[in-house]
Amino acid sequence: MNSLQKQPSTEKSESHETFLVTFEKNLLQMKDAVEVETLMKKLQFLGLNFDPFQNDVGNECGQIMEQLGLTTHMQNPYLATNILLRLLDKTEERLNNLKQ
């Protein structure tokens, strides 16, 4: 019975991991530093203005999450924070590589 309960959470985490891998692949295909910098600003805006523990998502945050395909991944507040930090890290790394 316990294995049945754990299975859905594994599938969810796999879908989040798949999203992160896809995000990174798309990020690596970006060759324009301005485009990556714009993405970075959007993610930073979410980091500063999105509170995953609040039910009310602001209009601008909702639009950004929709544009980036993050809406479903941001429902769990703890996972949302983890995902956002990982996206910021990957984006900052890509931006630094493009600027070198």
Side-chain angles (χ1 to χ4, degrees), residues 7-70:
Q7 192 173 6
S9 67
T10 303
E11 289 174 9
K12 284 183 181 179
S13 67
E14 284 178 324
S15 71
H16 298 307
E17 291 300 321
T18 302
F19 171 78
L20 291 167
V21 169
T22 303
F23 179 89
E24 188 172 5
K25 285 180 184 177
N26 292 336
L27 187 63
L28 290 173
Q29 292 177 354
M30 292 181 180
K31 304 295 182 197
D32 184 15
V34 175
E35 183 181 12
V36 177
E37 194 166 1
T38 301
L39 175 60
M40 183 72 171
K41 288 179 182 178
K42 289 179 181 181
L43 292 171
Q44 288 173 333
F45 182 86
L46 282 179
L48 292 171
N49 298 291
F50 174 67
D51 183 354
F53 291 96
Q54 296 292 324
N55 290 334
D56 184 33
V57 176
N59 189 32
E60 291 176 62
C61 289
Q63 288 176 354
I64 292 171
M65 290 186 328
E66 193 66 35
Q67 287 174 356
L68 301 178
L70 284 170

Side-chain angles (χ1 to χ4, degrees), residues 9 12-17 20 50 52-53 70 72-86:
S9 67
K12 284 183 181 179
S13 67
E14 284 178 324
S15 71
H16 298 307
E17 291 300 321
L20 291 167
F50 174 67
F53 291 96
L70 284 170
T72 58
H73 302 285
M74 302 300 259
Q75 293 174 353
N76 177 329
Y78 302 103
L79 192 57
T81 303
N82 180 281
I83 289 172
L84 187 56
L85 289 172
R86 290 170 71 180

